[in-house]
Structures are given as structure tokens and as C-alpha cells.
Amino acid sequence: DDDKSFSDWKIEVVVEGEDEGNENAAVYSVHRSVLALGPKKSDYFEALFNESSSDCMTTVKLSEEVAAHFPHFLDYMYSQPVESKAIVNFATWMSMAYLANNFLVPRLTEDVLDFIRTDMYNLDHMENYLSSVDDIDDDVSNHILYIAASVCVEMIQSIQV
């Protein structure tokens, strides 16, 4: 209930290719102060809220996969810094990287890269990260390639002949 949560904005998430306002669109009640202020702030939402009219609703179009992870994005934005790192995992990292880039959340990009840096030692996951570099933001792709190269160098040095 919006009155009880004191939310002051709505975000409608529409899957690309579907019409705005259709029954499949998800509508999230949010708080402008959470999205636009603090260490995890979104520069996109900050600019939107500073320029906006009294509409109090934003519609965003996302791919089906990314739209499915939008609630995780909101969980990240609302969570305490220690808890927020748990939201980024192998199942969500790519969508979270996209959302961080799309909504201009540098702290989320850092947390995605921190997760990848740790998880890259799982060689099955490394393959997934490397096969995804063409599908994500260039800055994140460059970091993934650097992390992979560092892990490979470290692993080669540990091989005993």
C-alpha cells in the first residue's frame, strides 16, 4: 500500500515489444530519496526527479531477462551496503551490470565487478563471463577481460610441472 509505505513515485517496467500500460507491465512504488541520494544513488533518477513534472511515474522498457531482474535492482538500491553485495550473483550479474549502466549507478557497477573478480576463479563461470563481453557495456567488458587475464596469469604460475 503506497500510503503506508510513503512511496512518492512509481516505475512501470514494460518488456520491450509490449505496449505501455498493458496488464503484463509491472509497476513498482518507490521512494525518490532512496533512488536519487546516498552512496548507491542513480544519476539517472536524480536527473529525472529534478526535471520531472508532477506526473510521479516513469515508464522504462527493458528486455524480458533484465525486466525479470528489476526487483533485484530495487532490492539492491534499498539494501544496506553489506547486504547489497549478496544481491549480485552468478544468476543476476549480467542484468545488474546492464541496469547499473542504464540507470547510472556507479556503485552497482563496482559491486558487479567485485563479484566477478571473486567468482572468476570458477573456470566454468569464467567462460560465461568471457562469452558475454560483446553483449555488455564496454567499460565492464574491459574490466572482465582484465580480471580474466589476471586470473589466468595467477593460475598458470601455480601449475606445478
Side-chain angles (χ1 to χ4, degrees):
D1 187 357
D2 294 343
D3 292 335
K4 292 182 181 176
S5 73
F6 299 104
S7 67
D8 55 0
W9 201 268
K10 292 184 186 303
I11 301 173
E12 178 185 40
V13 176
V14 177
V15 172
E16 290 173 342
E18 295 183 7
D19 296 326
E20 292 178 26
N22 76 24
E23 65 271 0
N24 294 331
V27 177
Y28 301 94
S29 297
V30 297
H31 303 84
R32 291 182 296 175
S33 62
V34 172
L35 299 180
L37 301 172
K40 294 190 289 184
K41 76 174 189 160
S42 162
D43 293 334
Y44 169 88
F45 285 113
E46 180 183 28
L48 176 72
F49 299 151
N50 283 330
E51 296 173 2
S52 92
S53 63
S54 60
D55 190 18
C56 294
M57 184 158 173
T58 303
T59 299
V60 296
K61 291 188 178 198
L62 301 170
S63 71
E64 188 172 352
E65 180 182 349
V66 174
H69 288 115
F70 193 79
H72 298 294
F73 172 74
L74 291 178
D75 288 344
Y76 175 87
M77 297 299 287
Y78 276 79
S79 67
Q80 295 299 315
V82 172
E83 299 165 344
S84 63
K85 289 193 180 255
I87 295 167
V88 178
N89 56 52
F90 188 68
T92 65
W93 78 269
M94 195 166 179
S95 292
M96 297 300 269
Y98 176 85
L99 291 164
N101 184 56
N102 195 55
F103 294 113
L104 307 173
V105 185
R107 179 68 179 266
L108 178 53
T109 300
E110 291 172 22
D111 286 344
V112 168
L113 291 171
D114 286 347
F115 170 76
I116 292 171
R117 196 171 288 111
T118 303
D119 194 52
M120 186 74 77
Y121 289 91
N122 178 328
L123 296 182
D124 291 332
H125 290 186
M126 181 188 286
E127 181 181 350
N128 176 276
Y129 297 126
L130 291 174
S131 67
S132 301
V133 295
D134 291 335
D135 300 328
I136 55 178
D137 173 58
D138 287 343
D139 190 46
V140 173
S141 293
N142 290 338
H143 278 88
I144 289 173
L145 294 172
Y146 176 79
I147 293 166
S150 299
V151 168
C152 288
V153 166
E154 186 178 322
M155 292 178 126
I156 287 174
Q157 291 175 343
S158 67
I159 295 174
Q160 294 181 1
V161 186

